[in-house]
mmCIF file of all heavy atoms in Angstrom:
data_model
loop_
_atom_site.group_PDB
_atom_site.id
_atom_site.type_symbol
_atom_site.label_atom_id
_atom_site.label_comp_id
_atom_site.label_asym_id
_atom_site.label_seq_id
_atom_site.Cartn_x
_atom_site.Cartn_y
_atom_site.Cartn_z
ATOM 1 N N ARG A 23 38.718 -53.694 -23.263
ATOM 2 C CA ARG A 23 38.332 -52.313 -22.965
ATOM 3 C C ARG A 23 36.997 -51.957 -23.627
ATOM 4 O O ARG A 23 36.171 -51.260 -23.065
ATOM 5 C CB ARG A 23 39.434 -51.355 -23.439
ATOM 6 C CG ARG A 23 40.688 -51.406 -22.564
ATOM 7 C CD ARG A 23 41.585 -50.195 -22.849
ATOM 8 N NE ARG A 23 42.014 -50.162 -24.251
ATOM 9 C CZ ARG A 23 43.120 -50.770 -24.685
ATOM 10 N NH1 ARG A 23 43.897 -51.467 -23.853
ATOM 11 N NH2 ARG A 23 43.471 -50.682 -25.961
ATOM 12 N N ALA A 25 34.595 -54.012 -24.300
ATOM 13 C CA ALA A 25 33.520 -54.690 -23.572
ATOM 14 C C ALA A 25 33.154 -53.930 -22.298
ATOM 15 O O ALA A 25 31.977 -53.803 -21.940
ATOM 16 C CB ALA A 25 33.947 -56.128 -23.256
ATOM 17 N N GLN A 26 34.192 -53.423 -21.605
ATOM 18 C CA GLN A 26 33.911 -52.658 -20.391
ATOM 19 C C GLN A 26 33.163 -51.363 -20.710
ATOM 20 O O GLN A 26 32.238 -50.966 -20.002
ATOM 21 C CB GLN A 26 35.233 -52.364 -19.677
ATOM 22 C CG GLN A 26 35.920 -53.605 -19.111
ATOM 23 C CD GLN A 26 37.295 -53.267 -18.560
ATOM 24 O OE1 GLN A 26 37.781 -52.141 -18.714
ATOM 25 N NE2 GLN A 26 37.949 -54.268 -17.956
ATOM 26 N N TRP A 27 33.591 -50.704 -21.767
ATOM 27 C CA TRP A 27 32.917 -49.448 -22.156
ATOM 28 C C TRP A 27 31.458 -49.704 -22.526
ATOM 29 O O TRP A 27 30.563 -48.966 -22.144
ATOM 30 C CB TRP A 27 33.682 -48.856 -23.332
ATOM 31 C CG TRP A 27 33.007 -47.642 -23.931
ATOM 32 C CD1 TRP A 27 32.956 -46.401 -23.427
ATOM 33 C CD2 TRP A 27 32.282 -47.606 -25.165
ATOM 34 N NE1 TRP A 27 32.252 -45.565 -24.242
ATOM 35 C CE2 TRP A 27 31.817 -46.286 -25.331
ATOM 36 C CE3 TRP A 27 31.983 -48.560 -26.145
ATOM 37 C CZ2 TRP A 27 31.074 -45.889 -26.432
ATOM 38 C CZ3 TRP A 27 31.241 -48.163 -27.249
ATOM 39 C CH2 TRP A 27 30.788 -46.846 -27.380
ATOM 40 N N ARG A 28 31.237 -50.823 -23.294
ATOM 41 C CA ARG A 28 29.870 -51.148 -23.672
ATOM 42 C C ARG A 28 29.013 -51.475 -22.448
ATOM 43 O O ARG A 28 27.833 -51.118 -22.381
ATOM 44 C CB ARG A 28 29.881 -52.323 -24.654
ATOM 45 C CG ARG A 28 28.499 -52.660 -25.198
ATOM 46 C CD ARG A 28 28.580 -53.811 -26.164
ATOM 47 N NE ARG A 28 29.049 -55.000 -25.470
ATOM 48 C CZ ARG A 28 29.162 -56.202 -26.053
ATOM 49 N NH1 ARG A 28 28.870 -56.338 -27.336
ATOM 50 N NH2 ARG A 28 29.609 -57.245 -25.367
ATOM 51 N N GLN A 29 29.613 -52.132 -21.468
ATOM 52 C CA GLN A 29 28.883 -52.471 -20.260
ATOM 53 C C GLN A 29 28.459 -51.225 -19.490
ATOM 54 O O GLN A 29 27.365 -51.158 -18.936
ATOM 55 C CB GLN A 29 29.754 -53.383 -19.369
ATOM 56 C CG GLN A 29 29.011 -54.033 -18.220
ATOM 57 C CD GLN A 29 27.914 -54.966 -18.711
ATOM 58 O OE1 GLN A 29 28.020 -55.554 -19.801
ATOM 59 N NE2 GLN A 29 26.858 -55.089 -17.925
ATOM 60 N N ARG A 30 29.382 -50.239 -19.461
ATOM 61 C CA ARG A 30 29.032 -48.983 -18.780
ATOM 62 C C ARG A 30 27.884 -48.274 -19.488
ATOM 63 O O ARG A 30 27.003 -47.700 -18.858
ATOM 64 C CB ARG A 30 30.253 -48.064 -18.708
ATOM 65 C CG ARG A 30 31.285 -48.485 -17.660
ATOM 66 C CD ARG A 30 32.247 -47.334 -17.347
ATOM 67 N NE ARG A 30 32.946 -46.874 -18.541
ATOM 68 C CZ ARG A 30 34.115 -47.368 -18.946
ATOM 69 N NH1 ARG A 30 34.695 -48.364 -18.258
ATOM 70 N NH2 ARG A 30 34.697 -46.902 -20.029
ATOM 71 N N LEU A 31 27.909 -48.312 -20.803
ATOM 72 C CA LEU A 31 26.819 -47.689 -21.552
ATOM 73 C C LEU A 31 25.491 -48.366 -21.279
ATOM 74 O O LEU A 31 24.447 -47.711 -21.118
ATOM 75 C CB LEU A 31 27.116 -47.712 -23.054
ATOM 76 C CG LEU A 31 28.163 -46.729 -23.576
ATOM 77 C CD1 LEU A 31 28.311 -46.871 -25.083
ATOM 78 C CD2 LEU A 31 27.773 -45.304 -23.223
ATOM 79 N N LEU A 32 25.511 -49.667 -21.241
ATOM 80 C CA LEU A 32 24.276 -50.408 -20.994
ATOM 81 C C LEU A 32 23.745 -50.148 -19.583
ATOM 82 O O LEU A 32 22.532 -50.163 -19.343
ATOM 83 C CB LEU A 32 24.504 -51.908 -21.211
ATOM 84 C CG LEU A 32 24.793 -52.326 -22.661
ATOM 85 C CD1 LEU A 32 25.129 -53.812 -22.738
ATOM 86 C CD2 LEU A 32 23.589 -52.009 -23.545
ATOM 87 N N ALA A 33 24.690 -49.940 -18.634
ATOM 88 C CA ALA A 33 24.267 -49.697 -17.249
ATOM 89 C C ALA A 33 23.773 -48.268 -17.038
ATOM 90 O O ALA A 33 23.090 -47.986 -16.052
ATOM 91 C CB ALA A 33 25.423 -49.989 -16.294
ATOM 92 N N THR A 34 24.123 -47.336 -17.919
ATOM 93 C CA THR A 34 23.679 -45.952 -17.783
ATOM 94 C C THR A 34 22.254 -45.819 -18.301
ATOM 95 O O THR A 34 21.965 -46.226 -19.433
ATOM 96 C CB THR A 34 24.602 -45.011 -18.578
ATOM 97 O OG1 THR A 34 25.943 -45.182 -18.122
ATOM 98 C CG2 THR A 34 24.170 -43.555 -18.394
ATOM 99 N N PRO A 35 21.316 -45.257 -17.469
ATOM 100 C CA PRO A 35 19.933 -45.117 -17.941
ATOM 101 C C PRO A 35 19.832 -44.098 -19.074
ATOM 102 O O PRO A 35 20.597 -43.132 -19.145
ATOM 103 C CB PRO A 35 19.187 -44.638 -16.693
ATOM 104 C CG PRO A 35 20.236 -43.990 -15.845
ATOM 105 C CD PRO A 35 21.494 -44.770 -16.098
#
Side-chain angles (χ1 to χ4, degrees):
R23 288 195 300 271
Q26 293 173 353
W27 174 75
R28 185 179 63 177
Q29 192 63 30
R30 285 197 302 270
L31 286 181
L32 293 175
T34 303

